[in-house]
PDB file of all heavy atoms in Angstrom:
ATOM      1  N   THR Q   1     108.621 101.094 122.190  1.00  0.00           N
ATOM      2  CA  THR Q   1     107.623 100.752 121.176  1.00  0.00           C
ATOM      3  C   THR Q   1     106.216 101.123 121.697  1.00  0.00           C
ATOM      4  O   THR Q   1     105.913 100.814 122.852  1.00  0.00           O
ATOM      5  CB  THR Q   1     107.703  99.192 120.934  1.00  0.00           C
ATOM      6  OG1 THR Q   1     109.005  98.881 120.478  1.00  0.00           O
ATOM      7  CG2 THR Q   1     106.659  98.750 119.922  1.00  0.00           C
ATOM      8  N   LYS Q   2     105.471 101.650 120.828  1.00  0.00           N
ATOM      9  CA  LYS Q   2     103.998 101.935 121.083  1.00  0.00           C
ATOM     10  C   LYS Q   2     103.209 101.179 120.081  1.00  0.00           C
ATOM     11  O   LYS Q   2     103.476 101.245 118.871  1.00  0.00           O
ATOM     12  CB  LYS Q   2     103.686 103.394 120.932  1.00  0.00           C
ATOM     13  CG  LYS Q   2     104.303 104.318 121.941  1.00  0.00           C
ATOM     14  CD  LYS Q   2     103.527 104.260 123.200  1.00  0.00           C
ATOM     15  CE  LYS Q   2     104.003 105.319 124.183  1.00  0.00           C
ATOM     16  NZ  LYS Q   2     103.105 105.492 125.293  1.00  0.00           N
ATOM     17  N   SER Q   3     102.205 100.418 120.526  1.00  0.00           N
ATOM     18  CA  SER Q   3     101.414  99.596 119.653  1.00  0.00           C
ATOM     19  C   SER Q   3      99.938 100.093 119.751  1.00  0.00           C
ATOM     20  O   SER Q   3      99.425 100.370 120.855  1.00  0.00           O
ATOM     21  CB  SER Q   3     101.435  98.126 120.055  1.00  0.00           C
ATOM     22  OG  SER Q   3     102.765  97.632 119.891  1.00  0.00           O
ATOM     23  N   PHE Q   4      99.307 100.094 118.600  1.00  0.00           N
ATOM     24  CA  PHE Q   4      97.873 100.486 118.543  1.00  0.00           C
ATOM     25  C   PHE Q   4      97.178  99.330 117.916  1.00  0.00           C
ATOM     26  O   PHE Q   4      97.300  99.029 116.713  1.00  0.00           O
ATOM     27  CB  PHE Q   4      97.726 101.750 117.696  1.00  0.00           C
ATOM     28  CG  PHE Q   4      98.458 102.935 118.228  1.00  0.00           C
ATOM     29  CD1 PHE Q   4      99.786 103.143 117.884  1.00  0.00           C
ATOM     30  CD2 PHE Q   4      97.871 103.760 119.234  1.00  0.00           C
ATOM     31  CE1 PHE Q   4     100.479 104.210 118.374  1.00  0.00           C
ATOM     32  CE2 PHE Q   4      98.563 104.847 119.719  1.00  0.00           C
ATOM     33  CZ  PHE Q   4      99.903 105.028 119.341  1.00  0.00           C
ATOM     34  N   ASN Q   5      96.387  98.578 118.764  1.00  0.00           N
ATOM     35  CA  ASN Q   5      95.738  97.314 118.384  1.00  0.00           C
ATOM     36  C   ASN Q   5      94.365  97.595 117.731  1.00  0.00           C
ATOM     37  O   ASN Q   5      93.831  98.663 117.861  1.00  0.00           O
ATOM     38  CB  ASN Q   5      95.597  96.413 119.510  1.00  0.00           C
ATOM     39  CG  ASN Q   5      96.933  95.965 120.095  1.00  0.00           C
ATOM     40  OD1 ASN Q   5      97.828  95.571 119.365  1.00  0.00           O
ATOM     41  ND2 ASN Q   5      97.127  96.061 121.387  1.00  0.00           N
ATOM     42  N   ASN Q   6      93.869  96.494 117.143  1.00  0.00           N
ATOM     43  CA  ASN Q   6      92.499  96.559 116.484  1.00  0.00           C
ATOM     44  C   ASN Q   6      92.353  97.633 115.472  1.00  0.00           C
ATOM     45  O   ASN Q   6      91.297  98.320 115.468  1.00  0.00           O
ATOM     46  CB  ASN Q   6      91.482  96.633 117.591  1.00  0.00           C
ATOM     47  CG  ASN Q   6      91.540  95.408 118.550  1.00  0.00           C
ATOM     48  OD1 ASN Q   6      91.674  94.270 118.054  1.00  0.00           O
ATOM     49  ND2 ASN Q   6      91.458  95.673 119.818  1.00  0.00           N
ATOM     50  N   ILE Q   7      93.358  97.904 114.661  1.00  0.00           N
ATOM     51  CA  ILE Q   7      93.272  98.790 113.539  1.00  0.00           C
ATOM     52  C   ILE Q   7      92.276  98.279 112.570  1.00  0.00           C
ATOM     53  O   ILE Q   7      92.191  97.049 112.349  1.00  0.00           O
ATOM     54  CB  ILE Q   7      94.610  99.040 112.896  1.00  0.00           C
ATOM     55  CG1 ILE Q   7      95.657  99.572 113.904  1.00  0.00           C
ATOM     56  CG2 ILE Q   7      94.560  99.859 111.647  1.00  0.00           C
ATOM     57  CD1 ILE Q   7      95.339 100.914 114.412  1.00  0.00           C
ATOM     58  N   LYS Q   8      91.493  99.123 111.964  1.00  0.00           N
ATOM     59  CA  LYS Q   8      90.532  98.707 110.965  1.00  0.00           C
ATOM     60  C   LYS Q   8      91.284  97.911 109.822  1.00  0.00           C
ATOM     61  O   LYS Q   8      92.200  98.441 109.254  1.00  0.00           O
ATOM     62  CB  LYS Q   8      89.803  99.914 110.366  1.00  0.00           C
ATOM     63  CG  LYS Q   8      88.667  99.567 109.442  1.00  0.00           C
ATOM     64  CD  LYS Q   8      88.000 100.852 108.943  1.00  0.00           C
ATOM     65  CE  LYS Q   8      86.865 100.528 108.030  1.00  0.00           C
ATOM     66  NZ  LYS Q   8      86.157 101.660 107.630  1.00  0.00           N
ATOM     67  N   MET Q   9      90.868  96.705 109.635  1.00  0.00           N
ATOM     68  CA  MET Q   9      91.635  95.817 108.732  1.00  0.00           C
ATOM     69  C   MET Q   9      91.579  96.341 107.323  1.00  0.00           C
ATOM     70  O   MET Q   9      92.463  96.047 106.471  1.00  0.00           O
ATOM     71  CB  MET Q   9      91.097  94.406 108.850  1.00  0.00           C
ATOM     72  CG  MET Q   9      91.474  93.795 110.189  1.00  0.00           C
ATOM     73  SD  MET Q   9      90.989  92.075 110.314  1.00  0.00           S
ATOM     74  CE  MET Q   9      89.362  92.222 111.010  1.00  0.00           C
ATOM     75  N   GLY Q  10      90.546  97.129 106.942  1.00  0.00           N
ATOM     76  CA  GLY Q  10      90.481  97.686 105.642  1.00  0.00           C
ATOM     77  C   GLY Q  10      91.330  98.903 105.425  1.00  0.00           C
ATOM     78  O   GLY Q  10      91.384  99.418 104.247  1.00  0.00           O
ATOM     79  N   ALA Q  11      91.969  99.407 106.388  1.00  0.00           N
ATOM     80  CA  ALA Q  11      92.781 100.640 106.276  1.00  0.00           C
ATOM     81  C   ALA Q  11      93.984 100.324 105.406  1.00  0.00           C
ATOM     82  O   ALA Q  11      94.612  99.277 105.537  1.00  0.00           O
ATOM     83  CB  ALA Q  11      93.238 101.152 107.595  1.00  0.00           C
ATOM     84  N   THR Q  12      94.250 101.230 104.482  1.00  0.00           N
ATOM     85  CA  THR Q  12      95.422 101.106 103.586  1.00  0.00           C
ATOM     86  C   THR Q  12      96.728 101.413 104.356  1.00  0.00           C
ATOM     87  O   THR Q  12      96.666 102.109 105.393  1.00  0.00           O
ATOM     88  CB  THR Q  12      95.324 101.971 102.339  1.00  0.00           C
ATOM     89  OG1 THR Q  12      95.397 103.355 102.762  1.00  0.00           O
ATOM     90  CG2 THR Q  12      94.019 101.705 101.594  1.00  0.00           C
ATOM     91  N   ASN Q  13      97.811 101.020 103.804  1.00  0.00           N
ATOM     92  CA  ASN Q  13      99.089 101.369 104.409  1.00  0.00           C
ATOM     93  C   ASN Q  13      99.288 102.908 104.389  1.00  0.00           C
ATOM     94  O   ASN Q  13      99.892 103.418 105.357  1.00  0.00           O
ATOM     95  CB  ASN Q  13     100.224 100.667 103.646  1.00  0.00           C
ATOM     96  CG  ASN Q  13     100.238  99.176 103.859  1.00  0.00           C
ATOM     97  OD1 ASN Q  13      99.647  98.688 104.855  1.00  0.00           O
ATOM     98  ND2 ASN Q  13     100.853  98.419 102.933  1.00  0.00           N
ATOM     99  N   GLU Q  14      98.881 103.535 103.362  1.00  0.00           N
ATOM    100  CA  GLU Q  14      98.956 105.019 103.323  1.00  0.00           C
ATOM    101  C   GLU Q  14      98.161 105.705 104.397  1.00  0.00           C
ATOM    102  O   GLU Q  14      98.564 106.646 104.963  1.00  0.00           O
ATOM    103  CB  GLU Q  14      98.521 105.524 101.910  1.00  0.00           C
ATOM    104  CG  GLU Q  14      99.458 105.120 100.774  1.00  0.00           C
ATOM    105  CD  GLU Q  14      99.248 103.657 100.310  1.00  0.00           C
ATOM    106  OE1 GLU Q  14      98.205 103.039 100.556  1.00  0.00           O
ATOM    107  OE2 GLU Q  14     100.179 103.156  99.689  1.00  0.00           O
ATOM    108  N   GLN Q  15      96.962 105.127 104.667  1.00  0.00           N
ATOM    109  CA  GLN Q  15      96.129 105.698 105.800  1.00  0.00           C
ATOM    110  C   GLN Q  15      96.826 105.452 107.104  1.00  0.00           C
ATOM    111  O   GLN Q  15      96.828 106.379 107.985  1.00  0.00           O
ATOM    112  CB  GLN Q  15      94.799 105.042 105.769  1.00  0.00           C
ATOM    113  CG  GLN Q  15      93.904 105.490 104.586  1.00  0.00           C
ATOM    114  CD  GLN Q  15      92.627 104.637 104.447  1.00  0.00           C
ATOM    115  OE1 GLN Q  15      92.627 103.507 104.787  1.00  0.00           O
ATOM    116  NE2 GLN Q  15      91.625 105.341 103.963  1.00  0.00           N
ATOM    117  N   LEU Q  16      97.387 104.309 107.314  1.00  0.00           N
ATOM    118  CA  LEU Q  16      98.145 104.085 108.573  1.00  0.00           C
ATOM    119  C   LEU Q  16      99.323 104.958 108.694  1.00  0.00           C
ATOM    120  O   LEU Q  16      99.588 105.431 109.803  1.00  0.00           O
ATOM    121  CB  LEU Q  16      98.557 102.619 108.662  1.00  0.00           C
ATOM    122  CG  LEU Q  16      97.432 101.627 108.995  1.00  0.00           C
ATOM    123  CD1 LEU Q  16      97.979 100.200 109.152  1.00  0.00           C
ATOM    124  CD2 LEU Q  16      96.681 102.031 110.227  1.00  0.00           C
ATOM    125  N   LYS Q  17     100.023 105.192 107.615  1.00  0.00           N
ATOM    126  CA  LYS Q  17     101.193 106.101 107.649  1.00  0.00           C
ATOM    127  C   LYS Q  17     100.782 107.555 108.046  1.00  0.00           C
ATOM    128  O   LYS Q  17     101.418 108.191 108.833  1.00  0.00           O
ATOM    129  CB  LYS Q  17     101.879 106.104 106.294  1.00  0.00           C
ATOM    130  CG  LYS Q  17     103.005 107.097 106.122  1.00  0.00           C
ATOM    131  CD  LYS Q  17     104.246 106.660 106.761  1.00  0.00           C
ATOM    132  CE  LYS Q  17     105.433 107.476 106.338  1.00  0.00           C
ATOM    133  NZ  LYS Q  17     105.750 108.605 107.125  1.00  0.00           N
ATOM    134  N   ALA Q  18      99.601 107.970 107.512  1.00  0.00           N
ATOM    135  CA  ALA Q  18      99.063 109.310 107.868  1.00  0.00           C
ATOM    136  C   ALA Q  18      98.745 109.345 109.349  1.00  0.00           C
ATOM    137  O   ALA Q  18      99.026 110.373 110.040  1.00  0.00           O
ATOM    138  CB  ALA Q  18      97.835 109.621 107.022  1.00  0.00           C
ATOM    139  N   VAL Q  19      98.121 108.320 109.892  1.00  0.00           N
ATOM    140  CA  VAL Q  19      97.871 108.274 111.337  1.00  0.00           C
ATOM    141  C   VAL Q  19      99.110 108.310 112.166  1.00  0.00           C
ATOM    142  O   VAL Q  19      99.239 109.015 113.145  1.00  0.00           O
ATOM    143  CB  VAL Q  19      96.967 107.022 111.685  1.00  0.00           C
ATOM    144  CG1 VAL Q  19      96.870 106.824 113.112  1.00  0.00           C
ATOM    145  CG2 VAL Q  19      95.620 107.184 111.040  1.00  0.00           C
ATOM    146  N   ALA Q  20     100.093 107.451 111.784  1.00  0.00           N
ATOM    147  CA  ALA Q  20     101.369 107.481 112.474  1.00  0.00           C
ATOM    148  C   ALA Q  20     102.057 108.791 112.433  1.00  0.00           C
ATOM    149  O   ALA Q  20     102.587 109.212 113.463  1.00  0.00           O
ATOM    150  CB  ALA Q  20     102.324 106.420 111.889  1.00  0.00           C
ATOM    151  N   ASP Q  21     101.999 109.440 111.262  1.00  0.00           N
ATOM    152  CA  ASP Q  21     102.630 110.779 111.184  1.00  0.00           C
ATOM    153  C   ASP Q  21     101.923 111.783 112.038  1.00  0.00           C
ATOM    154  O   ASP Q  21     102.530 112.686 112.567  1.00  0.00           O
ATOM    155  CB  ASP Q  21     102.572 111.307 109.698  1.00  0.00           C
ATOM    156  CG  ASP Q  21     103.572 110.503 108.798  1.00  0.00           C
ATOM    157  OD1 ASP Q  21     104.543 109.880 109.354  1.00  0.00           O
ATOM    158  OD2 ASP Q  21     103.373 110.541 107.590  1.00  0.00           O
ATOM    159  N   ALA Q  22     100.587 111.619 112.248  1.00  0.00           N
ATOM    160  CA  ALA Q  22      99.890 112.564 113.128  1.00  0.00           C
ATOM    161  C   ALA Q  22     100.160 112.261 114.592  1.00  0.00           C
ATOM    162  O   ALA Q  22     100.142 113.176 115.486  1.00  0.00           O
ATOM    163  CB  ALA Q  22      98.390 112.441 112.840  1.00  0.00           C
ATOM    164  N   LEU Q  23     100.411 110.980 114.959  1.00  0.00           N
ATOM    165  CA  LEU Q  23     100.643 110.634 116.329  1.00  0.00           C
ATOM    166  C   LEU Q  23     102.026 110.849 116.824  1.00  0.00           C
ATOM    167  O   LEU Q  23     102.262 111.101 118.036  1.00  0.00           O
ATOM    168  CB  LEU Q  23     100.302 109.131 116.523  1.00  0.00           C
ATOM    169  CG  LEU Q  23      98.845 108.704 116.447  1.00  0.00           C
ATOM    170  CD1 LEU Q  23      98.722 107.206 116.448  1.00  0.00           C
ATOM    171  CD2 LEU Q  23      98.026 109.362 117.561  1.00  0.00           C
ATOM    172  N   THR Q  24     103.050 110.801 115.964  1.00  0.00           N
ATOM    173  CA  THR Q  24     104.438 110.875 116.453  1.00  0.00           C
ATOM    174  C   THR Q  24     104.815 112.200 117.094  1.00  0.00           C
ATOM    175  O   THR Q  24     105.505 112.105 118.088  1.00  0.00           O
ATOM    176  CB  THR Q  24     105.466 110.532 115.296  1.00  0.00           C
ATOM    177  OG1 THR Q  24     105.178 111.417 114.204  1.00  0.00           O
ATOM    178  CG2 THR Q  24     105.308 109.123 114.867  1.00  0.00           C
ATOM    179  N   PRO Q  25     104.267 113.369 116.645  1.00  0.00           N
ATOM    180  CA  PRO Q  25     104.662 114.579 117.377  1.00  0.00           C
ATOM    181  C   PRO Q  25     104.089 114.627 118.819  1.00  0.00           C
ATOM    182  O   PRO Q  25     104.630 115.299 119.676  1.00  0.00           O
ATOM    183  CB  PRO Q  25     104.053 115.731 116.508  1.00  0.00           C
ATOM    184  CG  PRO Q  25     103.756 115.088 115.223  1.00  0.00           C
ATOM    185  CD  PRO Q  25     103.565 113.632 115.433  1.00  0.00           C
ATOM    186  N   LEU Q  26     103.026 113.923 119.013  1.00  0.00           N
ATOM    187  CA  LEU Q  26     102.354 113.921 120.325  1.00  0.00           C
ATOM    188  C   LEU Q  26     103.208 113.125 121.381  1.00  0.00           C
ATOM    189  O   LEU Q  26     103.030 113.287 122.569  1.00  0.00           O
ATOM    190  CB  LEU Q  26     100.975 113.295 120.289  1.00  0.00           C
ATOM    191  CG  LEU Q  26      99.979 113.961 119.350  1.00  0.00           C
ATOM    192  CD1 LEU Q  26      98.696 113.189 119.244  1.00  0.00           C
ATOM    193  CD2 LEU Q  26      99.731 115.439 119.757  1.00  0.00           C
ATOM    194  N   GLN Q  27     104.082 112.243 120.932  1.00  0.00           N
ATOM    195  CA  GLN Q  27     104.857 111.387 121.829  1.00  0.00           C
ATOM    196  C   GLN Q  27     106.088 112.100 122.360  1.00  0.00           C
ATOM    197  O   GLN Q  27     106.615 111.748 123.415  1.00  0.00           O
ATOM    198  CB  GLN Q  27     105.263 110.102 121.095  1.00  0.00           C
ATOM    199  CG  GLN Q  27     104.116 109.304 120.648  1.00  0.00           C
ATOM    200  CD  GLN Q  27     103.161 108.864 121.713  1.00  0.00           C
ATOM    201  OE1 GLN Q  27     103.616 108.355 122.799  1.00  0.00           O
ATOM    202  NE2 GLN Q  27     101.893 108.971 121.503  1.00  0.00           N
ATOM    203  N   GLY Q  28     106.656 113.063 121.648  1.00  0.00           N
ATOM    204  CA  GLY Q  28     107.793 113.755 122.128  1.00  0.00           C
ATOM    205  C   GLY Q  28     109.123 113.086 121.818  1.00  0.00           C
ATOM    206  O   GLY Q  28     110.144 113.558 122.357  1.00  0.00           O
ATOM    207  N   TRP Q  29     109.117 112.072 121.086  1.00  0.00           N
ATOM    208  CA  TRP Q  29     110.335 111.281 120.729  1.00  0.00           C
ATOM    209  C   TRP Q  29     110.498 111.299 119.223  1.00  0.00           C
ATOM    210  O   TRP Q  29     109.555 111.458 118.481  1.00  0.00           O
ATOM    211  CB  TRP Q  29     110.364 109.876 121.331  1.00  0.00           C
ATOM    212  CG  TRP Q  29     110.241 109.788 122.758  1.00  0.00           C
ATOM    213  CD1 TRP Q  29     111.112 110.347 123.675  1.00  0.00           C
ATOM    214  CD2 TRP Q  29     109.272 109.078 123.479  1.00  0.00           C
ATOM    215  NE1 TRP Q  29     110.661 110.025 124.985  1.00  0.00           N
ATOM    216  CE2 TRP Q  29     109.548 109.241 124.881  1.00  0.00           C
ATOM    217  CE3 TRP Q  29     108.178 108.293 123.139  1.00  0.00           C
ATOM    218  CZ2 TRP Q  29     108.859 108.656 125.894  1.00  0.00           C
ATOM    219  CZ3 TRP Q  29     107.438 107.724 124.154  1.00  0.00           C
ATOM    220  CH2 TRP Q  29     107.757 107.911 125.501  1.00  0.00           C
ATOM    221  N   THR Q  30     111.681 110.938 118.756  1.00  0.00           N
ATOM    222  CA  THR Q  30     111.974 110.797 117.341  1.00  0.00           C
ATOM    223  C   THR Q  30     111.496 109.436 116.817  1.00  0.00           C
ATOM    224  O   THR Q  30     111.869 108.381 117.428  1.00  0.00           O
ATOM    225  CB  THR Q  30     113.509 110.928 117.115  1.00  0.00           C
ATOM    226  OG1 THR Q  30     113.941 112.149 117.653  1.00  0.00           O
ATOM    227  CG2 THR Q  30     113.814 110.865 115.670  1.00  0.00           C
ATOM    228  N   PRO Q  31     110.700 109.426 115.754  1.00  0.00           N
ATOM    229  CA  PRO Q  31     110.327 108.142 115.272  1.00  0.00           C
ATOM    230  C   PRO Q  31     111.467 107.360 114.651  1.00  0.00           C
ATOM    231  O   PRO Q  31     112.316 107.999 113.927  1.00  0.00           O
ATOM    232  CB  PRO Q  31     109.245 108.458 114.204  1.00  0.00           C
ATOM    233  CG  PRO Q  31     109.434 109.915 113.902  1.00  0.00           C
ATOM    234  CD  PRO Q  31     110.086 110.514 115.045  1.00  0.00           C
ATOM    235  N   TYR Q  32     111.630 106.104 114.955  1.00  0.00           N
ATOM    236  CA  TYR Q  32     112.698 105.269 114.461  1.00  0.00           C
ATOM    237  C   TYR Q  32     112.211 104.398 113.307  1.00  0.00           C
ATOM    238  O   TYR Q  32     112.896 104.303 112.293  1.00  0.00           O
ATOM    239  CB  TYR Q  32     113.201 104.407 115.618  1.00  0.00           C
ATOM    240  CG  TYR Q  32     114.416 103.607 115.320  1.00  0.00           C
ATOM    241  CD1 TYR Q  32     115.702 104.141 115.253  1.00  0.00           C
ATOM    242  CD2 TYR Q  32     114.345 102.250 115.100  1.00  0.00           C
ATOM    243  CE1 TYR Q  32     116.770 103.366 115.040  1.00  0.00           C
ATOM    244  CE2 TYR Q  32     115.400 101.430 114.868  1.00  0.00           C
ATOM    245  CZ  TYR Q  32     116.669 102.016 114.810  1.00  0.00           C
ATOM    246  OH  TYR Q  32     117.778 101.232 114.535  1.00  0.00           O
TER     247      TYR Q  32
END
């Protein structure tokens, strides 16, 4: 598990999904 704290509270779920999609290839593992 990787956690990213203090996310902007006004961020939409779609925005967070876009960020997660951008971060997952950098980790080298398959997102579960």
Side-chain angles (χ1 to χ4, degrees):
T1 302
K2 292 280 191 171
S3 297
F4 301 89
N5 296 314
N6 299 316
I7 299 296
K8 186 175 180 180
M9 290 184 268
T12 66
N13 291 339
E14 292 78 20
Q15 290 170 327
L16 285 183
K17 174 78 166 89
V19 168
D21 288 341
L23 290 173
T24 54
L26 302 174
Q27 300 299 315
W29 298 305
T30 304
Y32 185 78

